[in-house]
C-alpha cells in the first residue's frame, strides 16, 4: 500500500474508530473553592514548553502531511486555525517528504499560512540527525517532535520489527539540532521508566500521548486479516501517564495528550503537572465534520472555558493551576498506588 493511501486511511479510520474514552480523567476531581478571589478577564493562559513561550496551553498535535491535495487542504486549515487562535501546531511525520521532495508542499504550507506561529516538526525515532535537520528546515520549526510508536508498528502489517538503538538515535538528535526536542507517544502512554531513560540522554520535553483517545492499534487492525486485538486495550491512561512522567523528573516539561476533548480535560492535565495539552483526533473531527470556522470557534470556546475553570479554582495563571488540589479515585488512584507513584 502506498504511503499516501495509508495516510488518508489513517484519517478515515481515526474518524470512524473514534476515541475510547478511557483516558482516566473521570477519576480526577477538582476541589471546589468558594472564595477564589479571581477575575475572569485577568486569567492568564500563557505557558512554556521548555524554553518556548506560548500564549495558549493548547497545541494541535501531529496528524498529517504528504498524501496529495486532501492533506494539503487539511494542513492549510489547521495552520490557519492555529494562527487565528494563537495555538502551536505540529505537522505529521515528515519522513515521506524527506524521501520524496514532491511531498514537501503539504508541510511547507503550515509555515506559509502561519509565518510567526510556533510549529513543531515531526519524525519517528528511526530518524538520523541529517533527516531531523531537513525536517526542521522544511517548516522552519521551533521544536522537533520525535514520535515513539512501537505498538502501532507491530500492529501494521508492513511495520517495523526492530526497535533497537532508538534511545541512541534520539540522543544524537538532541545533540545535533538546534531546536528543542519533544519526544512523544502516539496513544499508548509514557511510563516513569521511559521518561527517566529519555532524561538520561538529554531530552527535556515529553508528550505522554496516553491511552484513551485515537487508538492506532484499532486503526491498524482494520487493515489486518488476523487481528492483534490484545493491543486495542494496551496502554497507560493519559491521566495516569501525566503523573508517571511528572514524578521524579523535576527538570522535564510534561505535555499531555491522548483523548483530550475539552477544556476540563486540559485543566485536569495541567493540575496533574502538564504545562500544555495537545489535541489531534478531536480537532480533526471538528474540522472534517463541521468545517474550518467551527474549528476556530471551538478553540476560542475552549480558551474561554479554561478561564472560567481557572477562575472557579482560584488559579490566576497556569502555574497556579498546576498547584490546584485534585482528588484521584478509581482506576487512576489504583494504578498510581500499585506503581508507588505519587
Ligand atoms: C496522528 N498522530 C501522529 N503522531 C505523530 O507523531 N506523527 C504522525 O504522523 C501522526 N499522524 C496521525 C494521523 C492522524 C489522522 C491522527 C488522528 C493522529 C498521533 C497524534 O499526534 C496523537 O499522538 C494521537 O492521535 C493521540 O492524540 P488524540 O488524537 O487522542 O488527541
Amino acid at each position: 500500500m502506498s504511503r499516501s493511501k495509508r495516510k488518508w486511511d489513517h484519517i478515515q479510520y481515526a474518524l470512524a474508530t473514534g476515541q475510547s474514552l478511557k483516558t482516566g480523567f473521570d477519576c480526577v476531581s477538582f476541589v471546589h473553592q468558594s472564595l477564589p478571589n479571581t477575575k475572569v478577564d485577568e486569567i492568564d493562559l500563557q505557558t512554556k514548553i521548555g524554553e518556548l513561550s506560548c500564549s495558549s496551553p493548547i497545541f494541535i498535535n501531529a496528524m498529517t502531511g504528504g498524501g496529495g491535495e486532501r492533506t494539503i487542504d487539511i494542513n492549510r486549515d489547521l495552520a490557519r486555525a492555529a494562527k487565528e487562535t494563537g495555538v502551536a501546531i505540529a505537522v505529521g511525520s515528515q519522513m515521506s517528504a524527506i524521501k520524496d521532495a514532491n511531498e514537501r508542499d503539504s508541510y511547507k504550507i503550515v509555515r506559509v499560512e502561519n509565518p510567526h506561529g510556533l510549529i513543531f516538526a515531526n519524525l519517528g525515532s528511526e530518524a538520523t540527525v541529517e533527516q531531523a535537520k531537513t525536517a526542521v528546515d522544511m517548516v522552519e520549526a521551533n521544536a522537533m517532535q520525535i514520535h515513539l510508536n512501537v505498538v502501532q508498528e507491530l500492529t501494521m502489517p508492513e511495520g517495523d520489527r526492530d526497535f533497537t538503538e532508538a534511545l541512541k538515535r534520539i540522543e544524537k538528535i538532541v545533540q545535533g539540532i538546534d531546536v528543542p526536542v519533544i519526544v512523544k507517544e502516539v496513544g499508548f502512554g509514557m511510563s516513569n521508566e521511559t521518561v527517566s531513560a529519555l532524561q538520561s540522554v538529554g531530552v527535556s520535553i515529553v508528550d505522554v500521548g496516553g491511552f484513551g483517545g485515537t487508538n492506532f492499534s484499532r486503526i491498524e487492525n482494520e487493515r489486518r486479516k488476523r487481528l492483534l486485538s490484545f493491543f486495542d486495550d494496551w496502554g497507560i491512561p493519559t491521566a495516569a501517564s501525566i503523573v508517571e512522567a511528572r514524578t521524579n523528573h523535576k527538570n522535564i516539561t510534561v505535555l499531555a495528550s491522548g483523548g483530550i476533548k475539552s477544556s476540563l480535560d486540559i485543566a485536569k492535565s495541567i493540575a496533574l503537572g502538564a504545562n500544555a495539552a495537545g489535541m489531534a483526533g478531536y480537532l480533526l473531527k471538528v474540522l472534517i465534520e463541521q468545517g474550518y470556522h467551527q474549528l476556530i470557534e471551538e478553540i476560542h470556546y475552549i480558551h474561554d472555558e479554561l478561564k472560567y475553570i481557572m477562575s472557579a479554582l482560584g488559579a490566576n495563571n497556569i502555574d497556579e493551576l498546576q498547584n490546584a488540589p485534585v482528588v484521584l479515585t478509581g482506576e487512576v488512584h489504583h494504578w498510581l498506588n500499585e506503581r508507588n507513584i505519587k
Side-chain angles (χ1 to χ4, degrees):
M1 179 185 290
S2 75
R3 206 183 264 264
S4 70
K5 166 87 170 76
R6 199 175 78 220
K7 286 189 175 182
W8 184 246
D9 282 354
H10 276 171
I11 292 173
Q12 296 300 313
Y13 289 141
L15 294 175
T17 53
Q19 306 219 318
S20 66
L21 295 171
K22 290 187 185 159
T23 54
F25 287 121
D26 281 358
C27 303
V28 182
S29 300
F30 281 117
V31 181
H32 174 62
Q33 307 296 336
S34 306
L35 290 169
N37 199 30
T38 45
K39 252 189 201 172
V40 172
D41 283 349
E42 288 179 6
I43 303 291
D44 181 359
L45 294 181
Q46 285 181 83
T47 190
K48 291 204 101 177
I49 297 181
E51 67 207 43
L52 304 172
S53 297
C54 317
S55 58
S56 162
I58 303 174
F59 62 98
I60 302 175
N61 221 344
M63 280 184 278
T64 193
E69 285 302 315
R70 288 177 295 197
T71 50
I72 294 189
D73 289 344
I74 290 174
N75 275 356
R76 180 189 294 112
D77 285 347
L78 292 174
R80 282 183 185 164
K83 180 182 170 204
E84 201 67 33
T85 56
V87 306
I89 178 170
V91 298
S93 176
Q94 291 163 270
M95 195 52 96
S96 61
I98 284 174
K99 294 187 172 155
D100 176 359
N102 293 324
E103 298 244 322
R104 292 191 183 174
D105 287 352
S106 66
Y107 298 92
K108 288 187 168 181
I109 188 127
V110 175
R111 178 51 85 194
V112 171
E113 293 292 340
N114 188 11
H116 308 297
L118 285 182
I119 296 179
F120 306 153
N122 185 290
L123 285 173
S125 59
E126 72 281 10
T128 63
V129 175
E130 277 318 303
Q131 289 172 333
K133 283 183 180 165
T134 308
V136 168
D137 290 347
M138 199 186 302
V139 294
E140 296 164 49
N142 305 90
M144 170 91 235
Q145 286 186 331
I146 299 290
H147 63 258
L148 305 176
N149 66 339
V150 171
V151 172
Q152 181 187 6
E153 293 292 343
L154 287 171
T155 319
M156 270 163 67
E158 70 279 34
D160 284 349
R161 296 291 180 265
D162 177 356
F163 306 107
T164 56
E165 311 288 318
L167 195 60
K168 279 196 184 143
R169 286 190 296 275
I170 290 171
E171 180 173 24
K172 286 193 180 132
I173 292 173
V174 170
Q175 289 170 356
I177 66 174
D178 50 18
V179 295
V181 171
I182 302 169
V183 179
K184 76 184 282 276
E185 250 291 350
V186 300
F188 301 95
M190 244 184 232
S191 70
N192 191 260
E193 294 84 347
T194 299
V195 177
S196 294
L198 291 169
Q199 181 173 250
S200 76
V201 299
V203 173
S204 59
I205 311 170
V206 298
D207 171 350
V208 301
F211 182 80
T214 303
N215 185 323
F216 273 99
S217 172
R218 271 161 62 185
I219 292 172
E220 301 296 355
N221 266 323
E222 292 278 335
R223 301 193 288 119
R224 290 187 73 92
K225 285 205 185 77
R226 185 182 166 100
L227 305 187
L228 302 183
S229 39
F230 46 86
F231 280 141
D232 288 359
D233 296 315
W234 187 284
I236 308 172
T238 298
S241 191
I242 296 166
V243 184
E244 291 251 354
R246 180 70 283 149
T247 303
N248 297 330
H249 302 124
K250 252 194 174 160
N251 299 323
I252 294 256
T253 299
V254 176
L255 307 178
S257 76
I260 297 205
K261 291 175 293 297
S262 69
S263 49
L264 187 61
D265 290 346
I266 296 168
K268 287 178 178 179
S269 298
I270 294 169
L272 291 175
N275 277 27
M279 304 171 94
Y282 177 74
L283 295 181
L284 182 68
K285 197 173 163 71
V286 172
L287 174 65
I288 302 230
E289 293 181 355
Q290 301 176 50
Y292 166 72
H293 294 289
Q294 201 54 42
L295 174 65
I296 290 180
E297 196 146 313
E298 180 66 22
I299 299 173
H300 282 317
Y301 276 137
I302 295 175
H303 280 152
D304 289 347
E305 289 171 6
L306 261 178
K307 289 185 181 174
Y308 294 160
I309 293 169
M310 290 167 70
S311 297
L313 290 169
N316 288 294
N317 53 45
I318 297 297
D319 216 33
E320 291 180 11
L321 180 56
Q322 285 179 322
N323 290 307
V326 290
V327 174
L328 303 180
T329 55
E331 264 180 59
V332 171
H333 174 73
H334 188 67
W335 176 289
L336 296 171
N337 249 0
E338 284 289 307
R339 293 271 293 151
N340 227 345
I341 286 176
K342 297 256 161 56

